[in-house]
Amino acid sequence: MSLEIVLFYLAALVSLSATVLTITRTNASHALIYLIISLLAVALIFFLLGAPFAAALEIVIYAGAIMVLFLFVVMMLNLGAGAVEQERRWLAPKMWIGPGILAAVLLLELLYLIVGTEVVTPGQGVGPKAVGIELFGPYLLAVELASILLLAALVGAFHLGRRYMRARREEIE
Amino acid sequence: MTAVSVPIEHVLVLAAALFTIGLVGVLVRRNVIFLLMSLEIMMNACGLAFIAAGARWAEADGQIMYMLILALAAAEVAVGLGLVLQLQRRFDNLDIDAASELAG
């Protein structure tokens, strides 16, 4: 059994267990932390499959931007008197054990890949250059459609959120 | 490190398992935040299947489809979380069943 297969199974195990823990949590913040671990594991699988650009996007956009958006809303909905006590409970050291173990497995895999004797050579797998050439060649129309979708989402989210903020301001006043 | 050493069947099984977990999450959870998270899990599993297929035939198309899924997920989350804020404002809880007035 070769090396990548072992790394793949480890990452798959981490990803599956983190995902199961995500949907069984009762606290949204804990679930989000497990979901981020799961996304990091999937990013490692992308890397092992020879798609480094997609792995970077997974971390930057999914685990970075989208999950932070979730966290913002979870924090925003918990304004009020019990918020401080809740914050203290969320940051209890005990709850970091599970995510910590799963993240440590991923970190060990990553260190093994970086320090290990095998060198990741460009040309194998599909690099960012090939993706870019395809993306702005035959798929140009899809890119434009995606940009229109994102613009529509921007306008929609602004509209929905603005009315929420105005109502909150009136409540406070 | 060769791109094809991981058998595609195993990756597809993993993608199917992740998708199923997400689907179970959508079916059993009633909190809107958790529903949105489960949708993200399902979309991520679809992306994994696309990447696996793209890696199997060493084509860039899989990664491009993944990027389009990423854009779709970002748009969906933005609008979905806006709706979550509205739900919280109107019904004062995040239970999806609270918003079933249109059921008639």
Side-chain angles (χ1 to χ4, degrees):
Chain A
M1 197 187 271
S2 73
L3 170 72
E4 298 91 65
I5 306 270
V6 178
L7 290 177
F8 166 74
Y9 282 130
L10 262 180
L13 209 63
V14 169
S15 157
L16 279 176
S17 48
T19 309
V20 169
L21 285 167
T22 300
I23 65 161
T24 51
R25 293 304 93 182
T26 48
N27 187 320
S29 295
H30 297 174
L32 275 172
I33 289 169
Y34 277 116
L35 185 52
I36 289 172
I37 301 274
S38 161
L39 294 176
L40 292 180
V42 173
L44 188 61
I45 292 174
F46 285 177
F47 188 75
L48 289 174
L49 286 172
F53 189 48
L57 280 181
E58 173 96 0
I59 291 178
V60 172
I61 298 181
Y62 247 119
I66 296 181
M67 291 302 121
V68 168
L69 205 63
F70 265 107
L71 265 180
F72 271 147
V73 170
V74 170
M75 299 284 167
M76 217 168 143
L77 294 176
N78 277 287
L79 299 173
V84 176
E85 182 54 37
Q86 201 164 29
E87 203 92 349
R88 191 170 296 132
R89 227 171 33 243
W90 286 354
L91 294 176
K94 201 175 62 179
M95 72 102 344
W96 288 103
I97 295 174
I101 291 172
L102 293 176
V105 173
L106 289 180
L107 181 66
L108 284 178
E109 283 192 44
L110 189 65
L111 285 178
Y112 188 80
L113 279 173
I114 291 173
V115 181
T117 49
E118 285 188 68
V119 180
V120 182
T121 49
Q124 289 168 329
V126 182
K129 191 179 174 188
V131 178
I133 290 173
E134 282 275 303
L135 194 59
F136 290 98
Y139 285 96
L140 190 59
L141 187 63
V143 174
E144 298 295 337
L145 287 174
S147 70
I148 291 173
L149 175 72
L150 285 173
L151 178 65
L154 177 72
V155 174
F158 177 72
H159 177 67
L160 289 168
R162 196 182 52 150
R163 282 158 65 191
Y164 175 81
M165 291 317 286
R166 190 192 294 149
R168 274 215 84 84
R169 215 178 301 132
E170 282 164 6
E171 270 173 31
I172 290 167
E173 282 163 5
Chain B
M1 177 175 215
T2 50
V4 291
S5 57
V6 180
I8 186 175
E9 294 85 7
H10 297 192
V11 189
L12 289 180
V13 166
L14 174 67
L18 286 175
F19 190 90
T20 313
I21 295 172
L23 188 63
V24 170
V26 168
L27 290 177
V28 301
R29 299 305 297 252
R30 295 267 67 87
N31 186 316
V32 189
I33 297 258
F34 281 93
L35 288 187
L36 283 175
M37 272 189 231
S38 302
L39 286 178
E40 289 305 307
I41 294 170
M42 283 156 70
M43 270 197 238
N44 197 42
C46 294
L48 180 59
F50 270 116
I51 296 274
R56 168 67 181 77
W57 283 280
E59 293 282 345
D61 305 63
Q63 292 189 49
I64 287 164
M65 289 314 291
Y66 170 73
M67 264 180 251
L68 295 178
I69 290 176
L70 206 63
L72 179 68
E76 177 249 327
V77 160
V79 175
L81 289 175
L83 286 172
V84 168
L85 293 179
Q86 286 293 317
L87 204 66
Q88 170 75 11
R89 186 167 77 84
R90 295 199 183 184
F91 301 104
D92 268 329
N93 65 30
L94 289 178
D95 197 332
I96 192 77
D97 290 333
S100 61
E101 287 176 345
L102 274 181

